[in-house]
Amino acid sequence: MDTQLITHPTLDLIHAHASCRHYDTNAPVPDTAIETIVSAAQRASTSSNIQAWSVIAIRNAETRAELARLSGEQKHIAEAPVFLVWCADLARLDAVAALRGYPQNTEYLESFFTAAVDATLASQNAALAAEALGLGICYIGGLRNNPREVIQLLQLPKLVFPIFGMTVGYPSKPPRTRPRLPRSAMLNWETYAPTTEADLRAYDREMAQTGIYQGRQVPVPGKPEQMEDYGWLEHTARRGEKPARAQLSEILREQGFELK
Ligand SMILES: Cc1cc2nc3c(=O)[nH]c(=O)nc-3n(C[C@H](O)[C@H](O)[C@H](O)COP(=O)(O)O)c2cc1C
């Protein structure tokens, strides 16, 4: 039997999350909303309180159109009135180090990792804050398709790197919530346990029922004459096969993160 979960209005907000890709272009997002969202982002936990992140809020339509293009023609970036670019930021710590007469060591992967985690935690607080205000959001990892161009466009100095973007605006239609894997796949007690095939197949069926992958059919593995529905398993396995943004470590090094 499934465990009866505890309820709370904050949990209702978290569970209502769905990425929004359709925005009301006639509903402006006031500066106070952006300031409120970023204030919530600042309350997230941060490694040793170093607060190694920055966010760039972009309203300019031309810049958003360019970022939409650079992120793989994602039209929701151009449509949403605000685009937030979440950055790992060790440039500020360079200034701190200089003020106290120390060099900042950014040689190791740990430096970038810390800043990227800080930026990510802050962004998720912002996402929930935005949703609490009735706004829709969508993370945009596509921003890392062309990081050099993004860095140039936004004038990011050394030791600042765009981790992902986030569209923000009022939804023009309510986005649909996507089911998640069964909790038993994620929650292990005391030691690690691999996810069972039964859990994976059950989720594949649940995702297929949402109609998200409708119309896509693929051959049954090992039986090319038979067709089966394309679902989460196929989608995710295909995605995992592709080399992902192979130039990233090179560009990070150009930005001053040595990643040793
Ligand atoms: C780091 C990150 C990058 C993402 N990048 C994109 C993106 O480039 N474009 C997009 O439309 N959605 C993007 N998404 C949204 C995911 O596709 C979405 O969160 C996932 O499919 C689950 O759906 P849900 O958020 O509606 O529950 C991204 C999400 C994350 C966390």
Side-chain angles (χ1 to χ4, degrees), residues 17-21 71 74 76-77 120 124 131 137-145 163-165 175-180 207 239 245:
H17 162 75
S19 294
C20 174
R21 296 184 181 85
S71 304
Q74 299 203 49
H76 38 303
I77 302 174
T120 306
Q124 183 56 20
E131 289 174 344
I137 65 102
C138 186
Y139 279 91
I140 303 292
L143 196 68
R144 295 190 305 274
N145 288 359
I163 305 290
F164 41 67
R176 271 199 317 186
T177 54
R178 284 187 188 195
R180 291 294 194 256
M207 279 297 280
R239 199 179 186 289
R245 297 173 185 137

Side-chain angles (χ1 to χ4, degrees), residues 51-56 58 67 70-71 74 77 83-91 109-124 138-151 154 156-157 159-167 239 245 248-249 251-253 255 257 259:
Q51 305 170 65
W53 61 274
S54 291
V55 63
I56 302 174
I58 298 155
L67 290 169
L70 292 171
S71 304
Q74 299 203 49
I77 302 174
F83 189 62
L84 299 178
V85 176
W86 295 94
C87 300
D89 183 352
L90 292 178
L109 173 63
E110 177 67 10
S111 294
F112 174 69
F113 207 77
T114 302
V117 169
D118 266 15
T120 306
L121 296 179
S123 72
Q124 183 56 20
C138 186
Y139 279 91
I140 303 292
L143 196 68
R144 295 190 305 274
N145 288 359
N146 293 290
R148 279 195 191 98
E149 289 77 357
V150 172
I151 287 165
L154 304 181
L156 305 184
L159 295 178
V160 178
F161 193 86
I163 305 290
F164 41 67
M166 183 183 280
T167 53
R239 199 179 186 289
R245 297 173 185 137
L248 216 49
S249 57
I251 303 171
L252 276 163
R253 287 195 182 95
Q255 260 324 75
F257 297 95
L259 312 180

Side-chain angles (χ1 to χ4, degrees), residues 23-177:
Y23 292 93
D24 182 346
T25 51
N26 296 315
V29 177
D31 282 358
T32 49
I34 300 302
E35 302 271 356
T36 304
I37 291 165
V38 174
S39 169
Q42 287 190 268
R43 281 261 49 93
S45 292
T46 151
S47 186
S48 307
N49 200 25
I50 60 173
Q51 305 170 65
W53 61 274
S54 291
V55 63
I56 302 174
I58 298 155
R59 288 193 182 283
N60 183 281
E62 275 175 32
T63 312
R64 283 188 289 108
E66 181 61 2
L67 290 169
R69 190 184 68 78
L70 292 171
S71 304
E73 304 293 351
Q74 299 203 49
K75 64 158 195 47
H76 38 303
I77 302 174
E79 193 179 85
V82 180
F83 189 62
L84 299 178
V85 176
W86 295 94
C87 300
D89 183 352
L90 292 178
R92 186 185 301 117
L93 294 193
D94 244 7
V96 171
L99 281 174
R100 300 301 300 179
Y102 296 90
Q104 185 185 191
N105 186 333
T106 54
E107 254 174 293
Y108 296 103
L109 173 63
E110 177 67 10
S111 294
F112 174 69
F113 207 77
T114 302
V117 169
D118 266 15
T120 306
L121 296 179
S123 72
Q124 183 56 20
N125 259 22
L128 289 174
E131 289 174 344
L133 301 180
L135 291 158
I137 65 102
C138 186
Y139 279 91
I140 303 292
L143 196 68
R144 295 190 305 274
N145 288 359
N146 293 290
R148 279 195 191 98
E149 289 77 357
V150 172
I151 287 165
Q152 200 181 14
L153 184 67
L154 304 181
Q155 300 170 27
L156 305 184
K158 283 263 159 67
L159 295 178
V160 178
F161 193 86
I163 305 290
F164 41 67
M166 183 183 280
T167 53
V168 183
Y170 290 97
S172 59
K173 58 178 183 185
R176 271 199 317 186
T177 54

